[in-house]
Amino acid sequence: MPSGRQSQLDRLKRLEKPLQNEKFALLLPPAAECAEKVLIMENLSIGYGERILAKDINLVLRCGEKAALLGANGTGKTTLLRTIL
């Protein structure tokens, strides 16, 4: 080990190991029940002004289901997410 690094280590104050183990308890309330249908979109259209990126979107996302949003650049993925938010 280079002598400069060893000098730095020698100057550090040594700490003793704690004698007792501290206990930590975290109690969280039970999660609130979720509705069966988490997201409902009926005949949704998205776009900016006169430029329609997608139209007639119909989707029902239920509790526990997963969905992926795939598409090429400029097809409205971010616009759809912003609309949902």
Side-chain angles (χ1 to χ4, degrees), residues 4 11 25 34 40-41 44 51 58 65 72 75 79:
R11 286 190 297 252
C34 180
I40 301 171
M41 291 187 281
L44 179 68
R51 184 172 182 213
N58 294 297
E65 291 182 331
T75 56
T79 303

Side-chain angles (χ1 to χ4, degrees), residues 45-54 74 76-80 82-83:
S45 295
I46 59 170
Y48 297 98
E50 297 295 318
R51 184 172 182 213
I52 303 297
L53 298 174
K77 299 179 300 289
T78 301
T79 303
L80 175 61
R82 288 180 179 160
T83 302

Side-chain angles (χ1 to χ4, degrees), residues 8 24 31 33 36 40 43 63 66 81 84-85:
Q8 288 177 342
F24 177 78
E33 287 203 24
E36 180 186 334
I40 301 171
N43 299 321
C63 183
K66 297 176 178 90
L81 291 175
I84 293 170
L85 291 175

Side-chain angles (χ1 to χ4, degrees), residues 1-11:
M1 179 180 314
S3 62
R5 177 68 65 191
Q6 186 62 48
S7 298
Q8 288 177 342
L9 290 173
D10 292 339
R11 286 190 297 252

